[in-house]
Amino acid sequence: MVGTYALILAAGKGERFGGTTGKLWTPVAGAPVLLWTLRAFQSHPEVNHIVLVGQQSDLPRLQQIANHFHKVSAVVQGGRERWESVRNGLEAVPVEDGWVLVHDAARAAVSAQLISRVLQTTRETGAAIPALRLPDTVKWVDEANIVRETLPRERRAHGERWQLMAVQTPQGFSVNVLRSAYGRYDSRAGIPTDDAMVVEAFHPVTVVPGDPQNIKLTYPEDLARLEAILMGGGETRTGFGYDVHPFAEGRRLVLGGVEIPAPRGLSGHSDADVVLHAITDALLGAAGMDDIGVLFPNTDPSYRNADSAELLRQAWAQIRERGWSLVNVDVTVVAETPRLRPYVAAMRERISAVLQAEVDRLNIKATTSEGMGFIGREEGIACYAVATLRR
Ligand code: CTP
Ligand code: MG
């Protein structure tokens, strides 16, 4: 079978980016960096399979993510250096005469057009990489910040004019070419920093125009630019959710995924978390996908006393599969008692963790009903939510 494989490299340490989350797990424009990258290849019609290469400690959560991307055919442990990760990933590419696109997971803004462009030339020539002309002059600088040498931007060689270019990924190869190049590569010749470097000694590598928006998340200051690129354009939609549950003796009170000390909880089939139910419905509404009762029918005994955070997680995974990411959610809880203000921060933390989004995309307000109506008579708690999504 001739297939096209995308090898997504996610096994780096992200040292230059720093932080504790890891750069590929950092939320940007409403979803972790890695998710954006996976979506680009999952949704590309010419890509048949995805091999995901990650650090050993990340393999369980990569496997979990892979469950939502049906093209992922293998999750493989990476190596110490990038090229070792590629070599490991190649072992999970079974076809001999297909195509492989090697891509940095950190390039989350890769466009469908760029993938198509690289693939087309790969099929014609056996090896193609995207590259950009360098707008800046490039210099060698020593540890004391003194310029030691300047690279000429152009050079004459073999009677031709050569120019310095900056290369990106995805880099495309026929599986045979890449496999045999890695098989023959002598690592004593230096550590290859991209795949073309391994191939170019054996097979001509053709350059296609790169994409200036296809930046690699490397330093913390790249995050704002990546976000601006990912947010650019796209469609936004808003959904609305409402839920209400009556108080009941002998039940825990769970709101926004947080257990709140109170003499009574809310009655319901699940844990009766009105906040998470309203949010789930708002998100489903924005995505045009029925409501929580259709997804998780309360006639189904498996949802009895269900953890609503888990239901939200499942609904959100389905929404994301359709290409949506979170712009924001705004919530108003209406409760005469107990006082909710002290728990709002914990709720926001919890919900943002479930949605894998930044905390400031999730706002929660609490109000009383000033003693009026069923809320005022302390018969139950209601919650309103609006959610905006972008695709
Ligand atoms: N990569 C990999 N295996 C390695 C090293 C890097 O799979 N041993 C991946 C990274 O996860 C990244 C891509 O290759 O998606 C490009 O590498 P780079 O941007 O350098 O990322 P890191 O190596 O993670 O960052 P740093 O060099 O700052 O530690
Ligand atoms: Mg690196």
Side-chain angles (χ1 to χ4, degrees):
M1 183 197 65
V2 180
T4 297
Y5 278 76
L7 210 76
I8 307 292
L9 299 175
K13 293 205 179 69
E15 272 166 359
R16 287 170 290 177
F17 187 79
T20 49
T21 310
K23 71 178 179 182
L24 299 178
W25 302 97
T26 300
V28 56
V33 172
L34 178 62
L35 226 74
W36 286 101
T37 311
L38 282 172
R39 273 180 194 159
F41 288 89
Q42 170 77 34
S43 63
H44 197 284
E46 292 174 80
V47 173
N48 308 117
H49 306 282
I50 297 172
V51 173
L52 190 51
V53 187
Q55 283 177 32
Q56 185 178 23
S57 58
D58 272 342
L59 294 182
R61 57 177 170 169
L62 289 175
Q63 193 61 59
Q64 220 182 354
I65 286 190
N67 294 338
H68 296 292
F69 290 90
H70 68 83
K71 285 187 186 172
V72 176
S73 58
V75 177
V76 175
Q77 188 178 330
R80 220 164 51 86
E81 299 292 342
R82 184 187 182 282
W83 72 275
E84 294 169 315
S85 297
V86 177
R87 211 189 36 192
N88 292 2
L90 266 181
E91 281 169 22
V93 177
V95 288
E96 285 302 326
D97 32 337
W99 314 100
V100 61
L101 292 168
V102 184
H103 186 68
D104 297 331
R107 292 186 195 269
V110 57
S111 68
Q113 295 91 310
L114 184 66
I115 295 172
S116 300
R117 190 147 75 224
V118 171
L119 258 180
Q120 188 186 340
T121 305
T122 302
R123 293 192 169 120
E124 287 161 12
T125 67
I129 65 172
L132 294 172
R133 281 201 297 260
L134 281 179
D136 304 318
T137 296
V138 181
K139 295 178 190 289
W140 284 108
V141 178
D142 71 15
E143 289 172 1
N145 286 327
I146 303 295
V147 174
R148 302 303 288 261
E149 262 180 51
T150 298
L151 290 179
R153 277 220 303 261
E154 284 185 5
R155 131 180 176 200
R156 297 230 150 244
H158 308 287
E160 311 164 57
R161 216 184 55 183
W162 291 7
Q163 56 180 332
L164 217 47
M165 295 190 88
V167 310
Q168 306 180 325
T169 69
Q171 302 196 343
F173 307 93
S174 93
V175 173
N176 281 324
V177 166
L178 190 61
R179 221 195 283 281
S180 65
Y182 269 102
R184 284 195 270 174
Y185 193 75
D186 184 352
S187 54
R188 284 171 304 184
I191 292 175
T193 48
D194 77 337
D195 305 286
M197 212 172 138
V198 177
V199 172
E200 64 207 24
F202 309 110
H203 186 101
V205 177
T206 304
V207 164
V208 302
D211 177 356
Q213 301 210 314
N214 181 29
I215 61 169
K216 182 160 72 69
L217 181 62
T218 306
Y219 299 101
E221 53 269 32
D222 299 333
L223 201 57
R225 171 115 194 275
L226 181 61
E227 175 149 77
I229 292 168
L230 290 172
M231 299 279 269
E235 182 188 10
T236 59
R237 288 191 186 183
T238 296
F240 177 72
Y242 171 77
D243 195 30
V244 59
H245 282 271
F247 278 118
E249 300 295 338
R251 295 265 304 179
R252 299 179 308 137
L253 180 62
V254 184
L255 292 175
V258 174
E259 184 156 351
I260 293 171
R264 297 176 300 170
L266 296 173
S267 84
H269 185 68
S270 65
D271 61 12
D273 187 331
V274 282
V275 175
L276 294 192
H277 294 177
I279 291 175
T280 307
D281 262 357
L283 292 167
L284 288 167
M289 290 168 61
D290 283 315
D291 68 20
I292 190 170
V294 176
L295 239 62
F296 311 109
N298 61 11
T299 48
D300 183 337
S302 64
Y303 297 123
R304 213 180 138 73
N305 293 323
D307 174 2
S308 297
E310 185 50 37
L311 304 185
L312 173 58
R313 199 188 319 275
Q314 288 177 31
W316 185 228
Q318 292 188 30
I319 295 167
R320 275 188 161 166
E321 273 168 48
R322 290 164 164 78
W324 296 103
S325 55
L326 185 67
V327 177
N328 77 311
V329 171
D330 186 31
V331 175
T332 297
V333 197
V334 196
E336 208 66 29
T337 180
R339 249 178 67 72
L340 298 178
R341 187 77 224 152
Y343 305 99
V344 162
M347 292 184 207
R348 292 179 69 188
E349 282 289 340
R350 179 80 208 278
I351 299 163
S352 67
V354 172
L355 299 179
Q356 292 183 290
E358 304 92 315
V359 175
D360 71 354
R361 292 184 186 276
L362 242 142
N363 193 58
I364 298 181
K365 309 174 295 303
T367 183
T368 68
S369 187
E370 300 286 340
M372 296 178 290
F374 71 91
I375 304 272
R377 290 190 299 273
E378 301 185 12
E379 291 170 15
I381 293 180
C383 184
Y384 302 86
V386 281
T388 300
L389 301 179
R390 176 181 271 111
R391 174 154 66 177

